[in-house]
Each structure stands twice: as structure tokens, then as C-alpha cells.
Amino acid sequence: MKSLKDQLPEKFSGRMEKLLGDEYRAFLESYDEKSYAGLRMNTLKITPAEYLALTGQTLEPVSWCPTGFYYNGSREYSKNALYHAGLYYIQEPSAMFPAQVLPVEKGDRILDMCAAPGGKSTALAAKLQGTGLLVSNDISASRAKALLKNIEASGVRNSIVLTEDPKNLVPFFEGYFDKILIDAPCSGEGMFRKEPSMMKAWEKNGPDFFSKLQKSIVDYGIAMLKPGGMMVYSTCTFSVEENEGTLDYILKNYPDMHVIPIEQQGEGLMPAHPEWVDGPDEISYARRLWPHHLHGEGHFTALLRKDGSGSSVNPGNIRGMKELPEEFAGFLKDSAVTIDFDPARMVVQGDHLSYLPEDMPELGRLRRMRTGWYLGDIKKKRFEPSGFFARATTPDECDHWIDLELPDPRVVKYLKCETLEVSPELENGWYIVGVCGHALGWGKVSGGTLKNKYPSGWRWM
């Protein structure tokens, strides 16, 4: 069987040899090395130090992401109750870089423009720490299902998940966002080692196809960035057309946009090459992540700023109810949830009850999968809570909490949607079931038995 480096498309190999010159041999040899697996701690729920103390693990840190670590790639991390509790996100190490580079401040309005499956959105949400607004969009509704699940598993309350063509966002959000991340669709050259099947896709749709698409996407992104706002443009490809070429396009067509130096440090982060496109020197402020220089796959990341200053455009805000729905108020009492919900931020869409972000914009007919914190459904004079409601709730916010330790076999039984035996001294009613102080989902106690309300679609298999 051919080695991976011998399977590389001939046209790709020729392009890379021409670009890299003396470095090409080292680049080629990197395909004989293993790909690197990584996980990023979800600081909405736990700090890296807390996680390492909880698990007793020793993990090698990712130098360019303070919440990122390498791991051995084994299933013990994906088939793990702490993963199901949303304490960490499994992510290729170099893919952690773009969200790390974007300088998020509390209260920012942020757009993740091509967001599925959610690795960068969940990282941005952790930086916001529950403040501001995160709009996560992906044009593919099928891919956005994974995005939605990861947003909910991570306990992100202040997000909107859309499935729109980016051009349809502009009329609603022109000049609106403080920060935008565009991890653009690309030819995927940086993923050949991890996902060899990408080579066939590259031969069908290569850099020329994607560079045209990327230019249209950045056009829409720049229109939605407020004056003084900042944008990250990134890809997981090595192609000049899709990287330095796109930056050159931005700088020539938008005089108010500038590439700025990336402060984030890390082993193996290399400057971009303006000479490859005969472009301005500021293109060199972008960073290339090469697999022969670091422990990760290929990535390209640039940080840009738009000239000017001032407030974001306000498209109008949605206002909800005057008082809490009766069914929901009754549930809060029965479950001993102590969160002080503002009725003006609550909406019912069909049966779904959602708690809107504090600065909820008007969305018109934009296609959406989620607006804010989906709390559950109002059904025939009763309220049925969602798993998302539990996942974004802490022990300080709910007095009905059944906390299990990792060795307890009931943890896996719960994740398999099985009935649990609990203390007969517990009063009847709704409870959050958690592991090591972190929520997994709901259950309903009656006479020492907990009826499992864990979402069936998330069942441990």
C-alpha cells in the first residue's frame, strides 16, 4: 500500500515544491507522521487547572492556545461523562488558533460566519463568558445540526444559530458586529494527513473554485463589521490563492481594512508571504501553521481591523412577554431553579419557550435553528424542560441537584437514558442530574426512583 505522501495529488505536490523550495522535503516527510489530536477546555464550565485537578491527568499544552491540550486520540476522551457534560471540546490543535487570535471583549457582538461544526463558536462563547451576543451561521442546515448540538452541550446561553446564505445577513446586520470570524470554506489541503479522503475533493474543487467563493464571503463580512471592528480570516489550506491572495483582494478593494500583527505566540507560527502575490508587506502579519514546523495540521490565520470608530448599528430589538408563562413559573417552583428570568426576554415559538440574549436583534425571516437559550416546551398546561436548559444551569442556580461522581455506575446508566434509583429521602419533583458538579440533564423523582429525561438523541451508545 502506498504511503500517504505517495498518494498526494501530483498537481498539489508540484505546487507545494515550488512554494517551499528547500523546506519541501521536510513538509513531505510530515505526511508519514501521525496527526495530532487535541481538546480545548470549555471555560464557561471549567478552567484548565480545575480540569487537570479533577481528573489527575497530565496533558501537554498547545502552545498557541492556553485552553488547548494534546491527547492520545483514544476514545476514552470522546466516550467520557465529562465530555458529555460539555467540559471540553475535541478539536484539531491548529484549528484552535483563529478563535484564540480574535481579541474578544465582554459585551461584544460577534459573528461566526461559517460556523459548523462549532469548534470556533464555542471558543468565542467561552471568551464572552455569557455577555454580549454570538451569532453562529452556517449555510448548510445539515451541518448546522452539529453546530447546534455543540452550542447546547457547551452551555452557551447568549447565541443565535442561523442557516443562511451570508448575503442574506447583510440587510439585517450591516455595520453591526464588533468582531467577525470567517473560517472560510476552502480546498482543505491542510487536512490531507488527518482526512486523506479530502484529496479526492481537492481534485474536483481546488483552490480556484474556493478562492472565488471566499472573496464573496469576505465582501459580506466586511459589510457587517462596524467601523473599528476586527475580523479574523482563516482557512485550513496551504493555497496561496485562498490565503495571501484573499488578503491582497481585501486590501486592494477595501482601503479601510488593514492586516494587523497577531500578538498570540506559539511554537512554529510562521509569517505569511506577501511576495507570493506581489502584495503589501502587511500581509506578512498573518500566520501560517505548517505541519513540518509544529504539532498540528495546516492552517492560515489573519487578523484585520476596519478603520474608524463608533457604535454598532442597532437593527431593533425583540421584546417578549409581560410575565412568565404560568406553566414555566410552576416548573421553576417544582424544580427549585432560582434564576431570575426577565419575562421581556422570553418568547414562545410554537410550543418552544426560549430566553433571548439581552441584546436580541430583529431577524425578520432569516432561517434560524435557535434563538437564545431554548428552555423547553409548553404542552397541555405543563412545561417539559429541554436538555439545553439543564446544560447551561449551574448548581448555584438550582437547589434540586443530584450530583454523581465519575466512578458511580449511575452516570453511564443516566447517559443511556435508563431509570435510576436515588435516595428515598428526596422530595418528589424535577432534578438536574450532574457529574462532578456539572449538569448532564433532567430527571423526575418519584418515591426514590428517577425517571430519566436525558435527550434520547444524545444517548450514550
Side-chain angles (χ1 to χ4, degrees):
M1 183 177 178
K2 287 183 178 180
S3 68
L4 187 57
K5 66 185 179 185
D6 293 328
Q7 298 176 46
L8 296 171
E10 186 176 340
K11 184 177 179 181
F12 168 75
S13 298
R15 288 162 58 103
M16 295 309 300
E17 185 172 14
K18 184 177 179 181
L19 280 180
L20 291 173
D22 293 342
E23 287 191 34
Y24 177 68
R25 180 53 53 186
F27 170 79
L28 198 60
E29 293 301 324
S30 72
Y31 285 90
D32 286 338
E33 300 174 4
K34 66 174 183 177
S35 60
Y36 290 87
L39 52 87
R40 177 181 44 75
M41 300 304 163
N42 175 16
T43 54
L44 281 177
K45 298 195 173 194
I46 198 166
T47 67
E50 289 168 342
Y51 174 84
L52 296 175
L54 172 65
T55 62
Q57 296 172 356
T58 301
L59 297 173
E60 179 188 353
V62 174
S63 65
W64 51 86
C65 180
T67 57
F69 296 86
Y70 296 99
Y71 78 104
N72 59 13
S74 71
R75 292 190 68 200
E76 67 179 288
Y77 286 90
S78 58
K79 204 170 180 65
N80 187 300
L82 300 181
Y83 174 66
H84 286 270
L87 300 195
Y88 56 86
Y89 183 92
I90 293 174
Q91 188 174 28
E92 192 278 309
S94 64
M96 300 175 188
F97 190 58
Q100 181 60 39
V101 163
L102 193 63
V104 173
E105 299 176 8
K106 289 185 178 181
D108 275 348
R109 297 167 171 176
I110 299 178
L111 171 63
D112 186 358
M113 205 163 166
C114 310
K120 296 171 179 67
S121 276
T122 53
L124 294 172
K127 290 177 123 183
L128 282 172
Q129 286 293 301
T131 68
L133 175 68
L134 173 65
V135 178
S136 299
N137 179 72
D138 201 278
I139 193 171
S140 167
S142 60
R143 282 173 48 83
K145 290 178 181 178
L147 165 64
L148 177 60
K149 181 177 179 179
N150 286 318
I151 288 281
E152 294 190 351
S154 297
V156 181
R157 297 181 181 182
N158 57 325
S159 69
I160 300 169
V161 179
L162 303 177
T163 57
E164 274 292 351
D165 187 315
K167 69 181 179 183
N168 296 332
L169 302 179
V170 176
F172 291 88
F173 295 117
E174 189 166 5
Y176 178 80
F177 291 103
D178 300 291
K179 311 283 164 60
I180 294 178
L181 191 148
I182 302 176
D183 188 46
C186 69
S187 58
E189 295 171 352
M191 301 305 291
F192 286 177
R193 180 170 65 176
K194 185 180 178 184
E195 298 178 30
S197 62
M198 292 290 294
M199 296 181 201
K200 290 291 184 184
W202 185 90
E203 290 177 319
K204 181 179 179 181
N205 288 318
D208 290 342
F209 171 84
F210 282 102
S211 65
K212 295 182 179 69
L213 176 61
Q214 290 151 2
K215 290 179 177 65
S216 68
I217 291 174
V218 298
D219 286 340
Y220 303 133
I222 291 169
M224 291 185 280
L225 188 65
K226 79 171 191 179
M230 301 179 77
M231 182 176 87
V232 160
Y233 173 79
S234 67
T235 73
C236 60
T237 198
F238 304 121
S239 149
V240 174
E241 300 95 316
E242 300 174 74
N243 294 325
E244 286 90 349
T246 300
L247 292 189
D248 191 48
Y249 168 82
I250 293 171
L251 297 175
K252 286 178 177 174
N253 288 275
Y254 297 95
D256 58 343
M257 293 294 293
H258 303 282
V259 185
I260 62 175
I262 291 173
E263 295 181 1
Q264 187 66 30
Q265 301 298 310
E267 183 181 358
L269 304 177
M270 310 299 288
H273 292 265
E275 71 276 11
W276 287 351
V277 291
D278 195 23
D281 290 344
E282 65 187 274
I283 289 176
S284 67
Y285 296 152
R287 289 292 173 261
R288 279 182 170 269
L289 282 69
W290 296 100
H292 60 293
H293 282 297
L294 47 75
H295 292 168
E297 309 306 310
H299 233 83
F300 177 91
T301 301
L303 178 63
L304 301 103
R305 178 185 284 124
K306 193 177 200 178
D307 285 344
S309 62
S311 301
S312 298
V313 173
N314 190 340
N317 299 114
I318 294 174
R319 301 299 290 172
M321 304 175 176
K322 293 184 178 179
E323 58 184 28
L324 298 181
E326 181 181 343
E327 299 87 347
F328 182 63
F331 171 82
L332 294 180
K333 183 178 180 180
D334 188 36
S335 61
V337 171
T338 58
I339 299 170
D340 185 18
F341 287 100
D342 178 1
R345 291 171 57 189
M346 289 208 158
V347 294
V348 177
Q349 298 161 311
D351 293 334
H352 290 8
L353 178 67
S354 295
Y355 195 55
L356 303 177
E358 193 168 3
D359 191 19
M360 177 70 187
E362 180 61 56
L363 300 176
R365 294 189 177 183
L366 291 177
R367 294 194 300 269
R368 65 201 81 170
M369 296 188 76
R370 192 70 81 234
T371 48
W373 188 10
Y374 166 48
L375 298 172
D377 297 338
I378 297 175
K379 298 181 176 180
K380 297 180 181 177
K381 299 298 181 179
R382 65 183 175 86
F383 179 76
E384 188 80 17
S386 72
F388 187 13
F389 187 178
R391 292 297 185 92
T393 301
T394 68
D396 293 339
E397 297 171 323
C398 180
D399 293 334
H400 277 192
W401 191 286
I402 298 172
D403 200 40
L404 306 175
E405 296 301 318
L406 275 176
D408 192 326
R410 291 179 298 174
V411 174
V412 174
K413 286 187 68 175
Y414 179 77
L415 292 171
K416 289 184 174 181
C417 297
E418 298 175 11
T419 299
L420 302 185
E421 297 301 315
V422 295
S423 170
E425 297 180 1
L426 288 178
E427 63 180 273
N428 294 342
W430 286 94
Y431 285 77
I432 289 178
V433 179
V435 58
C436 301
H438 300 280
L440 293 170
W442 291 102
K444 197 168 187 181
V445 169
S446 178
T449 299
L450 181 132
K451 185 176 180 181
N452 200 316
K453 297 293 184 177
Y454 190 69
S456 58
W458 292 9
R459 182 186 289 115
W460 180 304
M461 303 298 288

